[in-house]
Coordinates of all heavy atoms in Angstrom, one line a residue:
R1159 N 131.0 112.4 98.4 CA 130.8 112.4 97.0 C 131.0 113.8 96.5 O 130.6 114.8 97.2 CB 129.4 111.9 96.6 CG 129.3 110.4 96.8 CD 127.9 109.9 96.5 NE 127.1 110.6 95.6 CZ 125.9 110.1 95.2 NH1 125.5 108.9 95.6 NH2 125.2 110.8 94.4
N1160 N 131.5 114.0 95.3 CA 131.7 115.3 94.7 C 130.6 115.6 93.7 O 130.6 116.6 93.1 CB 133.0 115.3 94.0 CG 134.2 115.3 95.0 OD1 134.0 115.7 96.1 ND2 135.3 114.7 94.5
D1161 N 129.5 114.8 93.6 CA 128.4 115.0 92.7 C 127.6 116.2 93.3 O 127.5 116.4 94.5 CB 127.5 113.8 92.6 CG 128.2 112.6 92.0 OD1 129.2 112.8 91.4 OD2 127.6 111.5 92.1
T1162 N 127.0 116.9 92.4 CA 126.0 118.0 92.7 C 124.6 117.4 92.4 O 124.4 116.9 91.3 CB 126.2 119.2 91.9 OG1 127.5 119.7 92.2 CG2 125.2 120.3 92.3
T1163 N 123.7 117.4 93.4 CA 122.4 116.8 93.2 C 121.4 117.9 93.3 O 121.5 118.7 94.3 CB 122.2 115.7 94.2 OG1 123.2 114.7 94.1 CG2 120.8 115.0 94.0
L1164 N 120.4 117.9 92.5 CA 119.3 118.9 92.5 C 118.1 118.2 92.9 O 117.7 117.1 92.4 CB 119.1 119.5 91.1 CG 117.9 120.4 90.9 CD1 118.1 121.7 91.7 CD2 117.7 120.7 89.4
T1165 N 117.4 118.7 94.0 CA 116.2 118.2 94.4 C 115.1 119.2 94.0 O 115.2 120.4 94.3 CB 116.2 118.0 96.0 OG1 117.3 117.2 96.3 CG2 114.9 117.4 96.4
A1166 N 114.1 118.7 93.3 CA 113.1 119.6 92.8 C 111.7 119.0 92.9 O 111.5 117.8 92.9 CB 113.4 120.0 91.4
V1167 N 110.7 119.8 92.9 CA 109.3 119.4 92.8 C 108.9 120.0 91.4 O 109.0 121.2 91.2 CB 108.4 120.0 93.9 CG1 107.0 119.7 93.7 CG2 108.9 119.5 95.2
F1168 N 108.3 119.2 90.6 CA 107.9 119.6 89.2 C 106.4 119.9 89.2 O 105.6 119.1 89.7 CB 108.2 118.5 88.2 CG 109.7 118.2 88.1 CD1 110.3 117.1 88.6 CD2 110.5 119.1 87.4 CE1 111.6 116.8 88.5 CE2 111.9 118.9 87.3 CZ 112.4 117.7 87.8
S1169 N 106.1 121.0 88.5 CA 104.7 121.3 88.3 C 104.2 120.5 87.1 O 105.1 119.9 86.3 CB 104.5 122.8 88.0 OG 105.1 123.1 86.7
S1170 N 102.9 120.4 86.8 CA 102.5 119.6 85.6 C 103.0 120.3 84.3 O 103.3 119.5 83.4 CB 100.9 119.6 85.6 OG 100.4 120.9 85.6
D1171 N 103.1 121.6 84.3 CA 103.7 122.2 83.1 C 105.2 121.8 82.9 O 105.6 121.6 81.8 CB 103.6 123.8 83.2 CG 102.2 124.3 83.1 OD1 101.3 123.5 82.6 OD2 102.0 125.4 83.5
Q1172 N 105.9 121.7 84.0 CA 107.3 121.3 83.9 C 107.4 119.9 83.4 O 108.3 119.5 82.7 CB 108.0 121.6 85.2 CG 108.2 123.0 85.5 CD 108.7 123.3 86.9 OE1 108.2 122.6 87.8 NE2 109.6 124.2 87.1
L1173 N 106.5 119.0 83.9 CA 106.5 117.6 83.5 C 106.2 117.5 82.1 O 106.8 116.7 81.4 CB 105.5 116.8 84.4 CG 106.0 116.6 85.8 CD1 104.8 115.9 86.6 CD2 107.2 115.8 85.9
E1174 N 105.3 118.3 81.6 CA 105.0 118.3 80.1 C 106.2 118.7 79.3 O 106.5 118.1 78.3 CB 103.8 119.2 79.8 CG 102.5 118.6 80.3 CD 101.3 119.6 80.0 OE1 101.4 120.5 79.1 OE2 100.3 119.4 80.6
E1175 N 106.9 119.7 79.8 CA 108.1 120.1 79.1 C 109.2 119.0 79.1 O 109.8 118.8 78.1 CB 108.7 121.4 79.8 CG 109.9 122.0 79.1 CD 110.4 123.2 79.8 OE1 109.6 123.9 80.4 OE2 111.6 123.5 79.7
L1176 N 109.3 118.3 80.3 CA 110.2 117.2 80.3 C 109.8 116.1 79.3 O 110.7 115.5 78.7 CB 110.3 116.6 81.7 CG 111.1 117.3 82.7 CD1 110.8 116.7 84.1 CD2 112.5 117.4 82.4
D1177 N 108.5 115.9 79.2 CA 108.0 114.9 78.2 C 108.4 115.2 76.8 O 108.5 114.3 75.9 CB 106.5 114.7 78.3 CG 106.1 113.8 79.4 OD1 106.9 112.9 79.9 OD2 105.0 113.9 79.9
S1178 N 108.5 116.5 76.5 CA 108.8 116.9 75.1 C 110.3 116.8 74.8 O 110.7 117.0 73.6 CB 108.3 118.4 74.9 OG 109.2 119.3 75.7
L1179 N 111.2 116.5 75.8 CA 112.6 116.4 75.5 C 112.8 115.1 74.6 O 112.1 114.2 74.7 CB 113.4 116.3 76.8 CG 113.3 117.5 77.7 CD1 114.1 117.2 79.0 CD2 114.0 118.7 77.0
D1180 N 113.9 115.2 73.9 CA 114.2 114.0 73.1 C 114.7 112.8 74.0 O 115.0 113.1 75.2 CB 115.3 114.2 72.0 CG 116.6 114.6 72.6 OD1 116.8 115.8 73.1 OD2 117.5 113.8 72.6
D1181 N 114.6 111.6 73.6 CA 114.9 110.4 74.4 C 116.3 110.4 75.1 O 116.4 109.8 76.1 CB 114.7 109.2 73.6 CG 113.2 108.9 73.3 OD1 112.4 109.4 74.0 OD2 113.0 108.2 72.3
N1182 N 117.2 111.1 74.5 CA 118.6 111.1 75.1 C 118.7 111.9 76.4 O 119.6 111.8 77.1 CB 119.6 111.6 74.1 CG 119.8 110.7 72.9 OD1 119.6 109.5 73.1 ND2 120.1 111.2 71.7
N1183 N 117.7 112.8 76.6 CA 117.8 113.7 77.7 C 116.7 113.4 78.8 O 116.5 114.2 79.7 CB 117.6 115.2 77.2 CG 118.8 115.6 76.4 OD1 119.9 115.2 76.6 ND2 118.5 116.4 75.4
K1184 N 116.0 112.3 78.7 CA 114.8 112.1 79.5 C 115.2 111.5 80.9 O 114.4 111.7 81.8 CB 113.8 111.2 78.8 CG 113.1 111.9 77.7 CD 112.1 111.0 77.1 CE 110.8 111.3 77.7 NZ 109.6 110.7 77.0
A1185 N 116.3 110.8 81.1 CA 116.5 110.2 82.4 C 116.7 111.3 83.4 O 117.3 112.3 83.2 CB 117.8 109.3 82.3
L1186 N 116.1 111.0 84.6 CA 116.2 111.9 85.7 C 117.1 111.3 86.9 O 117.1 110.1 87.0 CB 114.9 112.2 86.3 CG 113.8 112.8 85.4 CD1 112.5 112.9 86.1 CD2 114.3 114.2 84.9
R1187 N 117.7 112.1 87.6 CA 118.4 111.7 88.9 C 117.6 112.3 90.0 O 117.5 113.6 90.1 CB 119.8 112.2 88.9 CG 120.7 111.4 88.0 CD 122.2 111.9 88.0 NE 122.6 111.9 89.4 CZ 123.7 112.6 89.8 NH1 124.3 113.4 89.0 NH2 124.1 112.5 91.1
V1188 N 117.0 111.5 90.8 CA 116.1 112.0 91.9 C 116.7 111.7 93.2 O 117.1 110.6 93.5 CB 114.7 111.3 91.7 CG1 113.7 111.9 92.8 CG2 114.1 111.6 90.3
L1189 N 116.6 112.6 94.1 CA 117.0 112.4 95.5 C 115.9 112.6 96.4 O 115.2 113.7 96.4 CB 118.1 113.5 95.8 CG 118.6 113.5 97.3 CD1 119.2 112.1 97.7 CD2 119.6 114.6 97.5
F1190 N 115.5 111.6 97.1 CA 114.4 111.6 98.1 C 115.1 111.8 99.5 O 115.9 111.0 99.9 CB 113.6 110.3 98.1 CG 112.8 110.1 96.9 CD1 113.3 109.2 95.9 CD2 111.6 110.8 96.6 CE1 112.6 109.0 94.8 CE2 110.9 110.6 95.5 CZ 111.4 109.7 94.5
L1191 N 114.7 112.8 100.2 CA 115.2 113.1 101.6 C 114.0 112.7 102.5 O 112.9 113.2 102.3 CB 115.6 114.5 101.8 CG 116.6 115.1 100.8 CD1 116.9 116.5 101.0 CD2 117.9 114.3 101.0
S1192 N 114.3 111.8 103.4 CA 113.2 111.3 104.2 C 113.7 110.9 105.6 O 114.9 111.1 106.0 CB 112.7 110.0 103.5 OG 111.6 109.5 104.2
A1193 N 112.8 110.4 106.4 CA 113.0 109.9 107.7 C 112.5 108.5 107.8 O 111.3 108.3 107.5 CB 112.4 110.7 108.8
D1194 N 113.3 107.5 108.1 CA 112.9 106.1 108.0 C 112.3 105.7 109.4 O 112.8 105.0 110.2 CB 114.1 105.2 107.7 CG 113.7 103.8 107.2 OD1 112.5 103.6 107.0 OD2 114.6 103.0 107.1
T1195 N 111.0 106.2 109.6 CA 110.4 106.0 110.8 C 109.3 104.9 110.8 O 108.6 104.7 111.8 CB 109.7 107.4 111.3 OG1 108.7 107.7 110.3 CG2 110.7 108.5 111.5
G1196 N 109.2 104.3 109.7 CA 108.2 103.2 109.6 C 106.8 103.8 109.2 O 105.8 103.0 109.2
G1197 N 106.7 105.0 108.8 CA 105.4 105.6 108.4 C 105.1 105.6 106.9 O 104.2 106.3 106.5
G1198 N 105.8 104.7 106.2 CA 105.5 104.6 104.7 C 106.3 105.5 103.8 O 106.1 105.6 102.6
H1199 N 107.3 106.3 104.4 CA 108.1 107.2 103.6 C 108.9 106.4 102.5 O 109.0 106.8 101.4 CB 109.1 107.9 104.5 CG 108.5 108.8 105.5 ND1 108.6 108.6 106.8 CD2 107.7 109.9 105.3 CE1 107.9 109.5 107.4 NE2 107.3 110.3 106.6
R1200 N 109.5 105.3 102.9 CA 110.3 104.5 101.9 C 109.4 103.9 100.8 O 109.7 104.0 99.6 CB 111.0 103.3 102.7 CG 111.8 102.4 101.7 CD 112.5 101.3 102.5 NE 113.4 101.8 103.6 CZ 114.6 102.3 103.4 NH1 115.1 102.3 102.2 NH2 115.3 102.7 104.4
A1201 N 108.2 103.4 101.2 CA 107.3 102.8 100.2 C 106.8 103.9 99.2 O 106.7 103.7 98.0 CB 106.1 102.1 100.9
S1202 N 106.6 105.1 99.8 CA 106.1 106.2 98.9 C 107.2 106.6 97.9 O 106.9 106.9 96.8 CB 105.7 107.4 99.8 OG 104.6 107.1 100.6
A1203 N 108.4 106.7 98.4 CA 109.5 107.1 97.6 C 109.8 106.1 96.5 O 110.0 106.4 95.3 CB 110.8 107.3 98.4
Q1204 N 109.7 104.8 96.8 CA 109.9 103.7 95.9 C 108.7 103.8 94.8 O 109.0 103.5 93.6 CB 110.0 102.4 96.6 CG 111.3 102.3 97.3 CD 111.3 101.0 98.2 OE1 110.3 100.5 98.7 NE2 112.5 100.6 98.5
A1205 N 107.5 104.1 95.2 CA 106.4 104.1 94.3 C 106.6 105.3 93.3 O 106.4 105.2 92.1 CB 105.1 104.3 95.0
L1206 N 107.1 106.4 93.8 CA 107.4 107.6 93.0 C 108.5 107.3 92.0 O 108.5 107.6 90.8 CB 107.7 108.8 93.8 CG 106.5 109.5 94.5 CD1 107.0 110.5 95.5 CD2 105.6 110.1 93.4
A1207 N 109.6 106.6 92.5 CA 110.7 106.3 91.7 C 110.3 105.3 90.6 O 110.8 105.5 89.4 CB 111.8 105.6 92.6
K1208 N 109.4 104.4 90.9 CA 108.9 103.5 89.8 C 108.2 104.3 88.7 O 108.4 104.0 87.5 CB 107.9 102.5 90.4 CG 107.4 101.5 89.5 CD 106.5 100.5 90.2 CE 105.9 99.5 89.2 NZ 105.0 98.6 89.8
Q1209 N 107.4 105.3 89.1 CA 106.7 106.1 88.1 C 107.7 107.0 87.3 O 107.6 107.1 86.1 CB 105.7 107.0 88.8 CG 104.5 106.3 89.3 CD 103.8 105.5 88.2 OE1 103.4 106.1 87.2 NE2 103.6 104.2 88.5
F1210 N 108.8 107.5 87.9 CA 109.8 108.2 87.2 C 110.5 107.3 86.2 O 110.7 107.7 85.1 CB 110.9 108.8 88.2 CG 110.5 110.0 88.9 CD1 110.6 110.1 90.3 CD2 110.0 111.1 88.2 CE1 110.2 111.3 91.0 CE2 109.6 112.3 88.9 CZ 109.7 112.3 90.3
E1211 N 110.8 106.1 86.6 CA 111.4 105.1 85.7 C 110.5 104.8 84.5 O 110.9 104.7 83.4 CB 111.8 103.9 86.4 CG 112.3 102.8 85.6 CD 113.6 103.1 84.8 OE1 114.4 103.9 85.3 OE2 113.7 102.6 83.6
E1212 N 109.2 104.7 84.8 CA 108.2 104.4 83.8 C 108.1 105.5 82.8 O 108.0 105.3 81.6 CB 106.9 104.1 84.4 CG 105.9 103.5 83.4 CD 104.6 103.0 84.2 OE1 104.7 102.2 85.1 OE2 103.5 103.5 83.8
H1213 N 108.0 106.7 83.3 CA 107.8 107.9 82.4 C 109.2 108.5 81.8 O 109.1 109.1 80.8 CB 107.1 109.0 83.1 CG 105.7 108.6 83.4 ND1 104.7 108.8 82.5 CD2 105.1 108.1 84.6 CE1 103.5 108.3 83.1 NE2 103.8 107.9 84.3
Y1214 N 110.2 108.2 82.5 CA 111.6 108.7 82.1 C 112.6 107.6 82.2 O 113.3 107.5 83.2 CB 112.0 109.9 83.0 CG 110.9 111.0 83.1 CD1 110.1 111.1 84.2 CD2 110.7 111.9 82.0 CE1 109.1 112.0 84.2 CE2 109.7 112.8 82.1 CZ 108.9 112.9 83.2 OH 107.9 113.8 83.2
P1215 N 112.6 106.7 81.2 CA 113.4 105.5 81.3 C 114.9 105.9 81.5 O 115.4 106.9 81.0 CB 113.3 104.9 79.9 CG 111.9 105.4 79.4 CD 111.8 106.8 80.0
G1216 N 115.5 105.0 82.3 CA 116.9 105.3 82.7 C 117.1 106.1 83.9 O 118.2 106.4 84.4
S1217 N 116.0 106.6 84.5 CA 116.1 107.4 85.7 C 116.6 106.6 86.9 O 116.4 105.4 87.0 CB 114.7 108.0 86.1 OG 114.2 108.9 85.1
T1218 N 117.3 107.3 87.8 CA 117.8 106.7 89.0 C 117.4 107.5 90.2 O 117.1 108.7 90.0 CB 119.4 106.6 88.9 OG1 119.9 107.9 88.8 CG2 119.8 105.7 87.8
Y1219 N 117.5 106.9 91.3 CA 117.1 107.7 92.5 C 118.0 107.2 93.7 O 118.5 106.1 93.7 CB 115.7 107.5 92.9 CG 115.3 106.2 93.5 CD1 115.1 106.1 94.9 CD2 115.0 105.1 92.8 CE1 114.7 105.0 95.5 CE2 114.7 103.9 93.4 CZ 114.5 103.8 94.8 OH 114.2 102.7 95.4
D1220 N 118.1 108.1 94.7 CA 118.7 107.8 96.0 C 117.7 108.2 97.0 O 117.0 109.2 96.9 CB 120.0 108.6 96.2 CG 121.1 108.1 95.4 OD1 121.4 106.9 95.4 OD2 121.8 108.9 94.7
L1221 N 117.6 107.3 98.1 CA 116.7 107.6 99.2 C 117.6 107.8 100.4 O 118.3 106.8 100.8 CB 115.7 106.4 99.4 CG 114.8 106.5 100.6 CD1 114.0 107.8 100.6 CD2 113.9 105.3 100.7
V1222 N 117.6 109.0 101.0 CA 118.5 109.2 102.1 C 117.7 109.6 103.3 O 116.8 110.4 103.3 CB 119.4 110.4 101.7 CG1 120.4 110.8 102.9 CG2 120.3 110.1 100.5
D1223 N 118.0 108.9 104.4 CA 117.5 109.2 105.7 C 118.3 110.3 106.3 O 119.4 110.1 106.8 CB 117.5 107.9 106.6 CG 116.9 108.1 108.0 OD1 116.7 109.3 108.4 OD2 116.6 107.2 108.7
V1224 N 117.8 111.5 106.2 CA 118.6 112.7 106.6 C 118.8 112.8 108.1 O 119.7 113.4 108.5 CB 118.0 114.0 106.1 CG1 118.0 114.0 104.6 CG2 116.6 114.2 106.6
W1225 N 118.0 112.1 108.9 CA 118.1 112.2 110.3 C 119.1 111.2 110.9 O 119.9 111.6 111.8 CB 116.8 112.0 111.0 CG 115.8 113.1 110.6 CD1 114.7 112.9 109.9 CD2 115.8 114.5 110.9 NE1 114.0 114.0 109.7 CE2 114.7 115.0 110.3 CE3 116.7 115.3 111.6 CZ2 114.5 116.4 110.3 CZ3 116.5 116.6 111.6 CH2 115.4 117.2 111.0
S1226 N 119.1 110.0 110.4 CA 120.0 109.0 111.0 C 121.4 109.0 110.4 O 122.4 108.8 111.1 CB 119.4 107.6 110.7 OG 118.2 107.5 111.4
L1227 N 121.5 109.3 109.1 CA 122.8 109.1 108.4 C 123.8 110.2 108.9 O 124.9 109.8 109.3 CB 122.6 109.3 106.9 CG 123.8 109.0 106.0 CD1 124.3 107.6 106.2 CD2 123.5 109.3 104.6
D1228 N 123.5 111.4 108.7 CA 124.5 112.5 109.0 C 124.0 113.5 110.1 O 124.6 114.5 110.2 CB 124.9 113.2 107.8 CG 125.6 112.4 106.8 OD1 126.5 111.6 107.2 OD2 125.4 112.5 105.6
G1229 N 123.0 113.1 110.8 CA 122.4 114.1 111.7 C 123.3 114.3 112.9 O 124.2 113.5 113.2
V1230 N 123.1 115.4 113.6 CA 123.8 115.7 114.8 C 122.8 115.6 116.0 O 121.6 115.6 115.8 CB 124.4 117.1 114.8 CG1 125.5 117.3 113.7 CG2 123.3 118.2 114.6
Y1231 N 123.3 115.4 117.2 CA 122.5 115.2 118.3 C 121.7 116.5 118.5 O 122.3 117.6 118.4 CB 123.3 114.9 119.6 CG 122.5 114.7 120.8 CD1 121.9 113.4 121.0 CD2 122.2 115.7 121.7 CE1 121.1 113.2 122.1 CE2 121.4 115.4 122.8 CZ 120.9 114.2 123.0 OH 120.1 114.0 124.1
P1232 N 120.5 116.5 118.8 CA 119.6 115.4 119.1 C 118.9 114.8 117.9 O 118.2 113.8 118.0 CB 118.6 116.0 120.1 CG 118.4 117.4 119.6 CD 119.8 117.8 119.1
Y1233 N 119.1 115.4 116.7 CA 118.4 115.0 115.5 C 118.7 113.6 115.1 O 117.8 112.9 114.6 CB 118.7 116.0 114.4 CG 118.3 117.4 114.8 CD1 119.3 118.3 115.0 CD2 117.0 117.8 115.0 CE1 118.9 119.6 115.3 CE2 116.6 119.0 115.3 CZ 117.6 120.0 115.5 OH 117.3 121.2 115.9
K1234 N 119.9 113.1 115.3 CA 120.3 111.8 114.9 C 119.6 110.7 115.7 O 119.5 109.6 115.3 CB 121.8 111.6 114.9 CG 122.4 111.6 116.2 CD 123.9 111.4 116.1 CE 124.6 111.4 117.5 NZ 126.0 111.3 117.3
T1235 N 119.0 111.1 116.8 CA 118.2 110.1 117.6 C 116.7 110.2 117.3 O 115.9 109.4 117.9 CB 118.4 110.4 119.1 OG1 117.8 111.7 119.4 CG2 119.9 110.4 119.5
L1236 N 116.3 111.0 116.3 CA 114.9 111.2 116.0 C 114.2 110.0 115.6 O 113.1 109.7 116.1 CB 114.8 112.3 114.9 CG 113.3 112.5 114.5 CD1 112.7 113.7 115.3 CD2 113.2 112.8 113.0
V1237 N 114.8 109.2 114.7 CA 114.1 108.0 114.2 C 113.9 107.0 115.3 O 112.7 106.5 115.5 CB 114.9 107.4 113.0 CG1 114.3 106.0 112.6 CG2 114.9 108.3 111.9
N1238 N 114.9 106.7 116.1 CA 114.7 105.7 117.2 C 113.7 106.2 118.2 O 112.9 105.5 118.8 CB 116.0 105.3 117.8 CG 116.8 104.4 116.9 OD1 116.3 103.7 116.0 ND2 118.2 104.5 117.0
T1239 N 113.8 107.5 118.6 CA 112.9 108.1 119.5 C 111.5 108.0 119.0 O 110.6 107.7 119.8 CB 113.3 109.6 119.8 OG1 114.7 109.6 120.3 CG2 112.4 110.2 120.9
Y1240 N 111.3 108.4 117.8 CA 109.9 108.4 117.2 C 109.4 106.9 117.2 O 108.2 106.7 117.6 CB 110.0 108.9 115.7 CG 108.6 108.8 115.0 CD1 107.7 109.8 115.2 CD2 108.3 107.7 114.3 CE1 106.5 109.8 114.5 CE2 107.1 107.6 113.7 CZ 106.2 108.6 113.8 OH 105.0 108.6 113.2
K1241 N 110.2 106.0 116.8 CA 109.7 104.6 116.9 C 109.3 104.1 118.3 O 108.3 103.5 118.5 CB 110.7 103.6 116.3 CG 110.9 103.8 114.8 CD 111.9 102.8 114.2 CE 112.0 103.0 112.7 NZ 113.1 102.1 112.1
H1242 N 110.2 104.5 119.2 CA 109.9 104.1 120.6 C 108.6 104.8 121.1 O 107.7 104.2 121.7 CB 111.1 104.5 121.5 CG 110.8 104.4 123.0 ND1 110.7 103.1 123.6 CD2 110.5 105.2 124.0 CE1 110.4 103.3 124.9 NE2 110.3 104.5 125.1
L1243 N 108.5 106.1 120.9 CA 107.3 106.8 121.4 C 106.0 106.4 120.7 O 105.0 106.3 121.3 CB 107.5 108.3 121.2 CG 108.6 109.0 122.1 CD1 108.8 110.4 121.7 CD2 108.2 108.8 123.6
S1244 N 106.1 106.1 119.4 CA 104.9 105.6 118.7 C 104.5 104.2 119.2 O 103.3 103.9 119.1 CB 105.0 105.7 117.2 OG 106.1 104.8 116.8
A1245 N 105.4 103.4 119.6 CA 105.1 102.1 120.1 C 104.7 102.1 121.5 O 104.0 101.1 122.0 CB 106.3 101.1 119.9
N1246 N 105.0 103.2 122.3 CA 104.7 103.3 123.7 C 104.0 104.6 124.0 O 104.6 105.5 124.6 CB 105.9 103.1 124.5 CG 106.7 101.8 124.3 OD1 106.2 100.8 124.7 ND2 107.8 101.9 123.5
P1247 N 102.8 104.8 123.5 CA 102.2 106.1 123.7 C 101.9 106.5 125.1 O 101.8 105.8 126.0 CB 100.8 106.0 122.9 CG 100.6 104.6 122.6 CD 101.9 103.9 122.8

């Protein structure tokens, strides 16, 4: 993709500033970078995305598993290794 995506953490002051924007500028594009290890990362991202949509209508998000999708060895094996080790301590 040729899109440029900004990943940010907002302070409460910045969120208040976003709230003050007019309705045409409120939608956010959010990128969650995560590891799909079964530890609740996906559910947490989806809960946050729901809140962004509620507070900033029209917001969209992408959830990317940074380790499995484009990782290089040994990092691309992290998710499967983690799942195996956590199931077999």
Side-chain angles (χ1 to χ4, degrees):
R1159 287 174 31 170
N1160 292 330
D1161 296 345
T1162 301
T1163 304
L1164 172 67
T1165 303
V1167 175
F1168 296 106
S1169 70
S1170 58
D1171 290 340
Q1172 290 168 320
L1173 289 173
E1174 286 178 21
E1175 185 177 332
L1176 283 171
D1177 278 337
S1178 69
L1179 296 174
D1180 65 284
D1181 289 337
N1182 294 330
N1183 294 325
K1184 287 183 97 168
L1186 302 174
R1187 288 180 53 200
V1188 181
L1189 175 62
F1190 294 102
L1191 303 176
S1192 184
D1194 198 8
T1195 59
H1199 298 116
R1200 178 179 303 278
S1202 297
Q1204 290 171 332
L1206 286 168
K1208 182 178 177 181
Q1209 291 301 307
F1210 282 128
E1211 174 59 34
E1212 191 173 303
H1213 292 278
Y1214 309 101
S1217 293
T1218 59
Y1219 78 98
D1220 287 310
L1221 175 59
V1222 177
D1223 180 344
V1224 294
W1225 298 112
S1226 300
L1227 185 62
D1228 292 320
V1230 296
Y1231 185 83
Y1233 303 109
K1234 68 181 176 182
T1235 64
L1236 178 92
V1237 171
N1238 287 334
T1239 302
Y1240 177 86
K1241 287 179 180 179
H1242 172 74
L1243 291 175
S1244 64
N1246 304 286

